[in-house]
Amino acid sequence: MTIVQRYALAVEWFRSNRPSAQSELNFKDPFQLLVAVILSAQCTDKRVNMVTPALFERFPDAASLSAASFDELIHFVKSVSYPNAKARHLIDMAAKLLADFNGDVPSDIDSLMSLPGVGRKTANVIASIVYDKPVIAVDTHVFRVSHRLGLSKGITPYEVELDLERHIAPEDRPVAHHWLILHGRYVCTARAPKCGECPFSSWCPERKLYK
C-alpha cells in the first residue's frame, strides 16, 4: 500500500466518523485557550480543566495575569506538571502579549512563538483552533500515530508536521490534529494500543507488533 493510499483511507474514515473532532480543553476565548495549551504540555487535558476555572476567574486577561506574582499564581497551577516553570512562562507570556500585541492573541505562527512558553506545537494549536489556519500541531500522540500508521517517517515533530501537511488537504488540516490526537489518546495508546478497536488495523504496518 502506498502512502497516498494510507492517507486516503485514514482521512476518509475520519471525515465520515469524526467530522466534529475538537479540543478537549475547556476555554471561552483565545487567551484562555493559550493559557490552557501552555499548561497542557506533558499534562492531561483533564487535569488542566480542573485547574483553569479558578485560574481564569482570578486572571481573566493578559493584564491581570501579567500583574500576578509567582507565589500567587503557583497556588493555582501547582497540581499540573512542571508548575514552577509554567507559572513563570504564563506571567512572562502575559506581559509580552500585553506589551507587543495589546493583550490580543496573534494569529501569526512566528508571533505566537515569540511568546514565552509557546513552541511550534502550541502555536499551531492556537492558529488552527482560533484562526482556522491550515496547520497541524504535532504532539506525542500525533507523532506516534503518524509513525504507526505509516503516514510519516519523520524523525522530528516538524518533519512529521511537514509530511502530514503535504498529504492532508488544507481544509482538513484544522481538524486533522484532533483526529490524530484523539485516536492516539483513546485507541492507539502508547503502551497498550487497542488494535481490536482500531478501524485501521487491517492495513496498519505495526498491527502485528501488538497481537
Side-chain angles (χ1 to χ4, degrees):
M1 181 181 292
T2 68
I3 191 170
V4 172
Q5 290 172 321
R6 293 183 192 282
Y7 272 96
L9 289 171
V11 169
E12 180 181 5
W13 188 89
F14 280 127
R15 274 184 189 154
S16 299
N17 295 277
R18 302 289 186 271
S20 302
Q22 58 186 342
S23 174
E24 293 185 315
L25 291 169
N26 295 331
F27 63 96
K28 294 180 180 179
D29 56 45
F31 174 75
Q32 288 190 356
L33 177 62
L34 178 55
V35 170
V37 176
I38 290 174
L39 289 174
S40 72
Q42 296 181 293
C43 186
T44 66
D45 288 359
K46 182 178 180 180
R47 168 56 58 184
V48 173
N49 288 338
M50 293 171 65
V51 166
T52 50
L55 178 66
F56 293 151
E57 183 176 1
R58 174 63 184 85
F59 306 108
D61 51 31
S64 57
L65 185 57
S66 67
S69 69
F70 174 83
D71 289 340
E72 183 181 14
L73 185 55
I74 197 69
H75 170 75
F76 291 91
V77 303
K78 60 185 178 182
S79 66
V80 304
S81 58
Y82 307 105
N84 291 353
K86 289 179 180 178
R88 294 188 182 94
H89 284 323
L90 287 178
I91 294 170
D92 292 343
M93 176 277 291
K96 188 171 180 62
L97 196 64
L98 198 62
D100 294 359
F101 304 101
N102 199 34
D104 297 323
V105 177
S107 61
D108 177 70
I109 297 296
D110 290 336
S111 295
L112 284 163
M113 289 178 63
S114 74
L115 299 170
V118 177
R120 188 170 186 86
K121 184 211 77 172
T122 298
N124 280 2
V125 169
I126 302 302
S128 174
I129 294 177
V130 176
Y131 299 108
D132 205 34
K133 297 278 188 176
V135 295
I136 298 177
V138 177
D139 66 356
T140 55
H141 295 298
V142 175
F143 189 88
R144 179 177 66 255
V145 171
S146 298
H147 276 263
R148 284 183 177 169
L149 293 181
L151 302 179
S152 176
K153 295 181 180 179
I155 297 174
T156 67
Y158 183 60
E159 290 175 349
V160 173
E161 176 187 333
L162 293 179
D163 283 340
L164 292 172
E165 292 182 358
R166 186 177 299 115
H167 292 91
I168 296 177
E171 62 268 24
D172 289 322
R173 292 175 195 166
V175 73
H177 164 73
H178 303 301
W179 287 342
L180 295 170
I181 192 174
L182 294 175
H183 190 68
R185 184 174 291 167
Y186 297 112
V187 180
C188 192
T189 53
R191 295 184 179 179
K194 302 171 185 176
C195 297
E197 301 177 17
C198 180
F200 314 123
S201 60
S202 64
W203 54 265
C204 174
E206 294 197 13
R207 173 67 175 87
K208 61 181 180 296
L209 299 177
Y210 301 100
K211 288 184 178 181

